[in-house]
Structures are given as C-alpha cells and as structure tokens.
Amino acid sequence: MIEGLLVDLDGVLVKDSELNIFEDAPLFIDFLHKNNIPFKIATNNSRRSPSEIADKLREKGLNVDEKDVVSPLSVAPEVLKERGMESIYIIGSQKLKDYFREKGFNVKDSENVDAVVIGMDKSLNFQKLKIATTAVKRFYAKIYALNKNLISQDDDGMLFPGVGSVAKMFAYACNTDFEHFGKMSDLYNDVIFKSLGKPLEKLGIISDDLFVDLKGYGSLGLTTIFVTTGKYKVEDIDDFEPDYIFDSLTEIIEFMGAS
C-alpha cells in the first residue's frame, strides 16, 4: 500500500505554463488530505519559485501550501553558495535572473563567471550559446542545470529539448560534465525524502515523464504511476514498464480508494 506520494506538476496537476489545472486536480488533492496521505508536489518547474507556484495553485483552486512544493529552486541557491559560485551566467527567463539576484548572486551578461546556470529559455539564441560556451571553455565555469529533463511540452502541445538536453549539449561541446538540481539528483532527493519521512518502498510517484521521473524513481523502489495527460503517451514506453497506467487523476482516486 502506498503511504506517501511524489506528485508531478506539469502534465499531471496542471496543463500549461500558466498553471491551469486539470478539472479533477482539486478532487485529487482533497482525496490525499482526507485520507492523510502525505505528498509533495515534486516539480522540475523553475519558471516560478516554490512560493509562487503554491500561490498560483491556490488561486486555481488547489488546497496546497508552499511546504507542499519541492522544486530545483528549493535547493540551487544554497548549493551554489556552498560551492563558492558568486558570479553566474543564466540561460533562462528574466524572472529566473531576478530570483538569483535576490538570493545574492552576481548575475552577469558576460562570459567571465564562476558558473553557467541553465533553466528553460524560450528565447535561446546564438549569442547566448556563444557566451555560455565561452564561459565554460575559456573561463572554466561550471555547468549547473535546474533539471535533467530530456524534452518539455509547450502550451500549444508541441515538444522541444528540455533543460537537461540543453545542458548536455554544452557539456558535450566543452568536453566536461554538468550537475543538476532537479528530480533524481541527490540534492533534490534528500530534501523530498526527508520531508515525506517514509521508507522508499512505501512511496509512489505519479508523473507523465517516463524517463527522468518514473524510470528513475522506480529504480529506487518507488511504485510508479504513469498518467497519459502530459508529454509522453503509452506508445513512448520502451524498456521500462510503469507499475500502473492511468488516463486521469480521477482513475487514480478510484484505484487508491479501492486499495
């Protein structure tokens, strides 16, 4: 029996970047509360801070607090400071740059930096590619990605390379490696598993991501629940078979209620 849950955000609770929720998401969250099932909204979303995500979800009708949300921005600033990364070049939104400035970092628009931090950037262009590559290759900047996602889905339903794929491109070009702060990183997992306080074999993960989320956390012993409402579909399943496959949160409520 599942005694705690990691619940993905994009493609599971929400359907787009504006965090518009699926119709059955409030029922699902209420079900978890009523049945005293501890959960964390485990997201790689770094377009908003955890507090902003929680605020927006409440506006949309979900009964959640900031403590229910774990994102890469929950761990990245502290780790970067511990490692002496004072100046950074960011591939990402203006909001992301502002967030790191508020956390005390010198966010620069040039290549002479300690680290290149990669988030989702829908305006990625050749100039940004040059600055980041030069920072890593000539100034020995470290590469940090906010998650390791292979692909992401835009609001129009079309797919594009995820943050992890962009980071891997830079790492390959510069003959180095990168670390990430997202799901399946040791840093992220320490935060989320300690907060749930349950043995791994008693936990489940609900996600639309077959590869980073389900395959990754399945390898740690979690029960894997695949929902088809996001970026991957049943036909994308290859060598990894999730424990359960559902087409909606309503189906998961029925499954967990009957368990």
Side-chain angles (χ1 to χ4, degrees):
M1 182 178 177
I2 296 173
E3 297 181 3
L5 279 173
L6 283 66
V7 183
D8 192 16
L9 179 66
D10 297 302
V12 176
L13 294 175
V14 306
K15 59 182 77 171
D16 56 37
S17 61
E18 292 303 310
L19 304 189
N20 289 309
I21 62 175
F22 289 102
E23 290 182 0
D24 50 2
L27 291 175
F28 177 70
I29 295 297
D30 288 345
F31 170 82
L32 297 181
H33 284 305
K34 289 175 182 177
N35 289 275
N36 297 312
I37 299 172
F39 70 92
K40 293 295 175 182
I41 298 174
T43 179
N44 275 336
N45 187 312
S46 55
R47 298 185 295 276
R48 293 180 170 89
S49 68
S51 62
E52 288 178 309
I53 291 173
D55 289 345
K56 192 74 171 177
L57 292 177
R58 280 197 302 274
E59 289 177 14
K60 300 292 184 179
L62 292 190
N63 181 18
V64 296
D65 297 316
E66 181 180 353
K67 65 178 178 59
D68 299 320
V69 179
V70 179
S71 86
L73 296 183
S74 303
V75 296
E78 182 178 344
V79 172
L80 289 172
K81 287 179 180 178
E82 287 176 353
R83 297 185 179 181
M85 303 291 129
E86 297 179 357
S87 61
I88 57 178
Y89 178 71
I90 291 179
I91 290 179
S93 66
Q94 185 59 49
K95 184 177 288 188
L96 185 63
K97 294 177 183 179
D98 293 341
Y99 177 81
F100 276 97
R101 285 195 177 99
E102 290 169 5
K103 294 295 182 180
F105 292 91
N106 179 14
V107 178
K108 302 173 68 175
D109 289 322
S110 60
E111 63 272 19
N112 187 11
V113 293
D114 300 318
V116 172
V117 176
I118 300 171
M120 182 183 292
D121 191 338
K122 293 186 178 181
S123 62
L124 183 61
N125 58 31
F126 189 58
Q127 182 65 17
K128 293 178 182 180
L129 294 176
K130 288 196 297 182
I131 293 173
T133 304
T134 304
V136 176
K137 195 66 178 175
R138 292 188 177 167
F139 291 89
Y140 308 104
K142 302 295 183 183
I143 304 173
Y144 293 95
L146 291 179
N147 62 61
K148 204 177 181 181
N149 285 2
L150 297 176
I151 64 171
S152 294
Q153 180 171 271
D154 207 1
D155 292 347
D156 60 5
M158 296 187 72
L159 306 175
F160 59 95
V163 171
S165 294
V166 175
K168 191 169 185 177
M169 175 189 69
F170 285 113
Y172 180 80
C174 299
N175 193 31
T176 186
D177 204 348
F178 72 94
E179 291 186 87
H180 72 101
F181 301 111
K183 285 181 273 190
M184 279 307 293
S185 71
D186 291 340
L187 301 167
Y188 190 101
N189 287 350
D190 283 347
V191 171
I192 206 159
F193 291 148
K194 285 178 182 176
S195 64
L196 285 170
K198 300 285 185 178
L200 298 187
E201 63 272 14
K202 297 291 186 180
L203 296 177
I205 178 169
I206 302 172
S207 179
D208 70 322
D209 190 315
L210 286 164
F211 303 104
V212 173
D213 287 6
L214 298 176
K215 187 174 184 178
Y217 284 102
S219 71
L220 299 181
L222 278 70
T223 298
T224 53
I225 301 172
F226 175 48
V227 287
T228 61
T229 49
K231 59 192 174 187
Y232 290 114
K233 305 303 178 185
V234 172
E235 54 265 31
D236 293 311
I237 297 173
D238 53 14
D239 61 325
F240 170 75
E241 184 75 29
D243 295 312
Y244 301 97
I245 301 173
F246 297 107
D247 294 322
S248 69
L249 291 171
T250 299
E251 291 184 4
I252 297 176
I253 293 171
E254 294 170 355
F255 164 72
M256 294 187 68
S259 298

